[in-house]
Amino acid sequence: MPILGSVVVPHPPLIIPAVGRGEEQKIQATVDAYRAAARQVAEWRPEVLILSSPHLVMYSDYFHIAPGEFAAGDMSFFRAPQAQLRVDYDQELRRALIERAQAACIPAGTRGQRDPRLDHGSFIPLWFLREAGVDCPVVRIGLSGLSPLTHYRLGQCAAEAAEALGRRAVFIASGDLSHKLKEDGPYGFVPEGPEYDRAVTAAMADGDFLRLLSMESRLCERAAECGQRSFQIMAGALDGLAVSPQLLSHEGPFGVGYGVAVFSVTGKDEGRCFGKQYAAAEQARLARQKAGEDAYTALARLSLETFVRTGKRLTAIPEDLPEELTQSRAGAFVSLHQEGQLRGCIGTIGPTTPSLAAEIVQNAVSAGAHDPRFPPVRASELDTLEYNVDVLRPPERIASPAALDVRRYGVIVTCGQRRGLLLPDLDGVDTVEEQIAIARQKGGIGEQEKYTLERFEVVRHR
């Protein structure tokens, strides 16, 4: 088997002695586990390391795979320029990986490099591996904003490419856990921080990669993790393989979670094809959700699906709609999500059509076809979309941010003819200051400009 095993490792810079200068002793369990994992990799005698790092350049819709013949780096940014490293790239394996990814319609390649140096998410694992005597070529993979299943499938492509070339490969999944474990930590505390760490370390201890795929995106986002998608690529590289899992350590004394785990491949196991299991479970969940949609979201879905499949807008409003859709007028936002990620959102602050139903029909098409942040929705995506419809109540002028509540109220920021709006109760928006800043940016309003504030409530339909 070409994939000999995998390790999950964090990347706190201070774990390098030249950086930590003694502070690394406060995470001695992580240091000891790191060295044990590196020794295990050395025992596998790999011919190539496939490494995924959250700190390689990241794009929303594309996997960057580091180009060139080699990469070098040091810890100068962390006041330790004497800690230096150079690694060669396995150019043949990189090429084979990219070819397989593109054949699977996964956008991946070497375009878009911004810095050829080793990022610290790559440097730190490679430093410990070099210390253990592992000195072989590397393929470095960045993360993306694409779905968990797409990350998993990229890992499958990496394993298939290694097998086709007969490479003895080890996968290195670099990634910290939650960054919000302590009030006095650099990023503060949220309850989801330790909840995420408990969930992900339990999945590692059990070798349950399906849980790595299906973990709620809201939990991951609230916990401010950085390694989840790295772990998902690793899970794909081990698709269909039996593993012996070992969670070597987990700690977070500085408010950031550090986990070290080793997965030794022991054979094949068709029951561990987690990508297929996840896809089937998602298909069933989406079918249940679609069956339970109310009239608002069902109308939005009908509008967009009609437009995408026929190229024509829905002109005949269904006759069995509730009166509040056909007899009232209001502004409405239609939001599309795909595997937990936003896929489009367009709306109107106030009514612009004869009825709320017509407003939803219009804005559903705009969300799917005209949101400038995303390419138009394709017919092949329609069955994967989840719809939200937010019906806006009339906004009211407020004197100060003190009258806002990010869970209850949306906000409208106005400066002259420029306006920016943000809906209430959005994942990742936890403070009024964040809410206003995002709305202001959406309206192109500078921080120092004078602006007015309005708040509004919504009725949310899912």
Side-chain angles (χ1 to χ4, degrees), residues 1-4 46-48 90 92-93 96 100 158-169:
M1 284 165 288
I3 300 293
L4 307 170
E47 297 171 331
V48 63
D90 187 328
E92 187 180 21
L93 179 57
R100 285 183 177 271
E160 291 166 1
E163 183 170 19
L165 294 176
R167 296 285 200 275
R168 292 170 53 86

Side-chain angles (χ1 to χ4, degrees), residues 108-429:
T110 56
R111 292 179 291 113
Q113 178 167 265
R114 295 179 180 175
D115 188 342
R117 295 173 296 179
L118 288 171
D119 64 282
H120 76 274
S122 300
F123 184 100
I124 293 166
L126 293 170
W127 174 275
F128 278 90
L129 289 165
R130 185 67 60 83
E131 181 184 73
V134 180
D135 186 9
C136 59
V138 177
V139 172
R140 288 169 64 219
I141 302 173
L143 311 182
S144 79
L146 297 169
S147 71
L149 188 57
T150 306
H151 284 77
Y152 188 94
R153 287 174 174 161
L154 182 65
Q156 288 179 281
C157 291
E160 291 166 1
E163 183 170 19
L165 294 176
R167 296 285 200 275
R168 292 170 53 86
V170 169
F171 197 98
I172 310 297
S174 176
D176 295 336
L177 306 186
S178 172
H179 285 59
K180 295 193 174 185
L181 296 182
K182 296 180 68 177
E183 289 285 1
D184 59 351
Y187 307 97
F189 172 83
V190 295
E192 292 86 352
E195 180 185 350
Y196 170 82
D197 274 28
R198 285 191 297 269
V200 76
T201 53
M204 290 176 185
D206 295 339
D208 187 351
F209 298 160
L210 183 58
R211 288 163 68 186
L212 296 179
L213 276 174
S214 57
M215 206 165 288
E216 290 185 6
S217 60
R218 185 179 189 278
L219 173 61
C220 296
E221 186 170 343
R222 292 278 297 161
E225 54 74 29
C226 84
Q228 186 71 14
R229 284 166 285 189
S230 189
F231 310 152
Q232 290 164 351
I233 300 175
M234 175 203 73
L238 298 173
D239 180 75
L241 298 176
V243 300
S244 174
Q246 292 179 281
L247 178 64
L248 300 183
S249 73
H250 171 249
E251 58 182 347
F254 306 119
V256 178
Y258 306 134
V260 179
V262 173
F263 304 97
S264 303
V265 173
T266 59
K268 291 186 177 292
D269 186 346
E270 291 302 317
R272 293 181 61 81
C273 295
F274 295 115
K276 292 179 181 178
Q277 296 175 30
Y278 175 77
E282 274 294 286
Q283 187 175 16
R285 183 185 68 81
L286 289 169
R288 290 193 301 272
Q289 181 161 320
K290 183 177 180 179
E293 287 176 343
D294 69 7
Y296 293 75
T297 49
L299 179 60
R301 181 183 292 276
L302 175 64
S303 174
L304 181 58
E305 290 187 350
T306 298
F307 180 80
V308 172
R309 288 184 172 133
T310 69
K312 299 179 181 179
R313 293 178 180 268
L314 183 69
T315 54
I317 302 294
E319 297 180 356
D320 58 347
L321 295 177
E323 283 192 5
E324 61 263 28
L325 276 168
T326 58
Q327 302 301 315
S328 65
R329 302 177 70 228
F333 273 73
V334 176
S335 304
L336 312 174
H337 287 83
Q338 188 176 58
E339 294 190 327
Q341 303 296 316
L342 185 67
R343 184 61 180 84
C345 179
I346 294 289
T348 44
I349 296 175
T352 62
T353 62
S355 70
L356 177 54
E359 205 81 25
I360 292 170
V361 166
Q362 167 188 277
N363 294 343
V365 171
S366 296
H370 304 305
D371 187 329
R373 298 169 294 179
F374 304 96
V377 168
R378 304 181 302 273
S380 60
E381 297 179 87
L382 291 174
D383 289 339
T384 69
L385 297 179
E386 299 177 71
Y387 292 71
N388 289 347
V389 176
D390 288 309
V391 179
L392 277 63
R393 291 177 173 164
E396 58 180 347
R397 184 82 171 265
I398 58 173
S400 76
L404 289 171
D405 178 327
V406 294
R407 298 296 162 221
R408 179 178 178 183
Y409 297 112
V411 67
I412 301 170
V413 181
T414 303
C415 178
Q417 299 300 310
R418 291 169 289 157
R419 303 179 88 185
L421 176 148
L422 196 68
L423 296 169
D425 198 21
L426 297 178
D427 290 345
V429 182

Side-chain angles (χ1 to χ4, degrees), residues 48-79:
V48 63
L49 301 174
I50 304 171
L51 186 151
S52 57
S53 169
H55 296 285
L56 194 58
V57 62
M58 177 176 167
Y59 295 98
S60 64
D61 58 353
Y62 175 78
F63 290 100
H64 176 73
I65 300 175
E69 298 179 6
F70 69 92
D74 58 40
M75 288 281 103
S76 294
F77 187 78
F78 303 100
R79 298 181 300 169

